[in-house]
């Protein structure tokens, strides 16, 4: 399990002192993405993350399109801290950080998180709508709001940012009828895919990725729910209960 820290800011010091302390501790004390993480490299292979800016489009990192300092060090620290506390497969922090860096450069002529303000966040949200799909822009907006709260709570900036994202969640206006049914069915896996997952699960796979994927699918088929609910099941979620007729039944305790 990765080593994590809970960063507690000093309330009576300059914001830059807290920020520099945070970056230093994330660099030297955290183990998310490995103890041997090469911090100064701009492509973290184990995390499959590159720190290119909004202009970086190809899989091959262009060193001329790297996030500018000092924002770069904050971006690395913030990503490692958040992923250490709550690892995710899709690291939504990165597109938000890219938009924020571009907004800071556009408005402040430098990329420094200390300059963050409401106007910068608004521009970053606008850039997300211009650069990404509506769905992705919505997620970027959520991450920007999360980041604004984080830097405010940790006293990395002077003052407090109370900001809400203007990027609305896209809503499918077609909810009923034949077309809506077709759209829902289109998202479902076909019978061959389900059978393949069942075969993998039944054959007791040894690869962690196969164990995780096939087990999650089996659990979702047994107890239909959102995947987030399955992933949040507590360790002691399994329960046996006795019904009125004396029969013992097995189930899971959801939060």
């Amino acid at each position: 399990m990765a080593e994590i820290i809970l960063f507690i800011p000093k309330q009576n010091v300059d914001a830059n002192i807290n920020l520099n302390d945070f970056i230093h501790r994330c660099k030297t004390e955290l183990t998310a993405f490995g103890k041997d993480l090469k911090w100064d490299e701009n492509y973290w292979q184990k995390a499959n993350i590159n720190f290119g800016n909004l202009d970086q489009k190809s899989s091959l990192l262009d060193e001329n399109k790297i996030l500018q300092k000092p924002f770069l060090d904050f971006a690395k620290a913030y990503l490692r801290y958040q992923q250490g506390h709550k690892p995710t497969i899709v690291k939504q922090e990165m597109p938000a950080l890219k938009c924020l860096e571009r907004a800071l450069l556009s408005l402040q002529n430098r990329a420094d998180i200390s300059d963050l303000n409401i106007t910068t966040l608004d521009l970053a949200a606008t850039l997300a709508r211009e650069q990404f799909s509506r769905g992705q822009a919505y997620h970027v907006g959520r991450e920007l709001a999360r980041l604004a709260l984080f830097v405010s709570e940790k006293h990395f900036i002077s003052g407090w940012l109370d900001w809400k994202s203007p990027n609305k969640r896209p809503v499918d206006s077609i909810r009923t009828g034949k077309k809506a049914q077709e759209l829902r069915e289109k998202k479902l896996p076909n019978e061959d895919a389900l059978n393949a997952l069942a075969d993998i699960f039944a054959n007791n796979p040894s690869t962690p990725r196969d164990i995780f994927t096939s087990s999650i699918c089996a659990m979702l088929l047994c107890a239909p729910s959102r995947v987030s609910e399955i992933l949040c099941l507590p360790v002691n979620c399994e329960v046996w209960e006795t019904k009125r007729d004396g029969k013992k039944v097995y189930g899971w305790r959801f939060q």
Side-chain angles (χ1 to χ4, degrees):
M1 182 176 179
E3 186 74 24
I4 63 173
I5 62 171
L6 180 62
F7 181 79
I8 301 175
K10 299 178 179 68
Q11 297 299 325
N12 298 318
V13 301
D14 184 79
N16 279 326
I17 295 177
N18 279 321
L19 177 59
N20 291 332
D21 185 30
F22 171 72
I23 293 172
H24 175 74
R25 294 190 66 187
C26 289
K27 179 179 179 179
T28 59
E29 297 180 23
L30 294 186
T31 58
F33 309 134
K35 292 183 179 180
D36 58 347
L37 176 70
K38 296 179 179 178
W39 177 273
D40 293 325
E41 292 188 357
N42 295 317
Y43 172 63
W44 290 354
Q45 185 173 5
K46 189 170 183 179
N48 193 27
I49 286 292
N50 73 70
F51 291 92
N53 60 27
L54 272 180
D55 297 327
Q56 174 65 40
K57 305 297 184 183
S58 68
S59 57
L60 183 63
L61 182 60
D62 184 343
E63 290 296 329
N64 294 316
K65 298 177 181 177
I66 301 297
L67 296 173
Q68 290 192 21
K69 288 192 173 186
F71 186 83
L72 174 60
D73 285 323
F74 167 75
K76 290 179 176 179
Y78 181 74
L79 178 70
R80 197 178 198 188
Y81 186 90
Q82 296 292 12
Q83 288 294 315
H85 282 262
K86 191 175 181 180
T88 57
I89 297 174
V90 180
K91 298 169 181 62
Q92 295 287 359
E93 295 93 347
M94 283 311 303
L97 289 165
K98 292 172 188 280
C99 290
L100 193 54
E101 186 245 15
R102 180 60 52 84
L104 285 166
L105 287 172
S106 299
L107 295 174
Q108 309 292 343
N109 294 318
R110 65 173 187 168
D112 190 334
I113 195 63
S114 301
D115 297 327
L116 187 62
N117 56 35
I118 296 293
T119 304
T120 309
L121 289 164
D122 287 341
L123 179 56
T126 300
L127 288 169
R129 295 194 298 272
E130 294 173 353
Q131 295 285 330
F132 305 116
S133 66
R134 290 178 61 195
Q136 180 64 22
Y138 164 73
H139 289 295
V140 169
R142 289 182 61 192
E143 284 300 324
L144 288 170
R146 180 186 179 207
L147 185 148
L149 178 61
F150 182 83
V151 299
S152 297
E153 289 179 337
K154 301 304 182 184
H155 189 44
F156 296 158
I157 59 173
S158 57
W160 186 277
L161 292 173
D162 186 10
W163 182 82
K164 293 183 179 180
S165 172
N167 297 354
K168 303 299 182 182
R169 184 172 187 169
V171 178
D172 184 3
S173 59
I174 306 173
R175 296 178 179 271
T176 59
K178 183 178 179 181
K179 189 172 183 179
Q181 179 69 18
E182 291 174 352
L183 288 172
R184 286 193 292 270
E185 291 179 353
K186 188 178 180 180
K187 297 178 182 179
L188 296 173
N190 59 38
E191 188 173 351
D192 290 338
L194 287 174
N195 287 335
L197 284 167
D199 286 340
I200 295 171
F201 179 76
N203 288 327
N204 296 320
S206 58
T207 304
R209 184 174 181 176
D210 291 342
I211 295 172
F212 177 81
T213 306
S214 60
S215 297
I216 289 292
C217 290
M219 293 173 76
L220 288 170
L221 288 169
C222 291
S225 62
R226 292 171 294 185
V227 69
S228 60
E229 294 169 337
I230 293 290
L231 295 175
C232 289
L233 281 171
V235 173
N236 61 339
C237 66
E238 295 181 291
V239 291
W240 285 93
E241 293 184 352
T242 303
K243 298 177 70 175
R244 291 180 180 178
D245 60 3
K247 183 180 179 181
K248 283 188 173 293
V249 292
Y250 169 81
W252 303 327
R253 182 186 294 109
F254 285 86
Q255 293 183 351

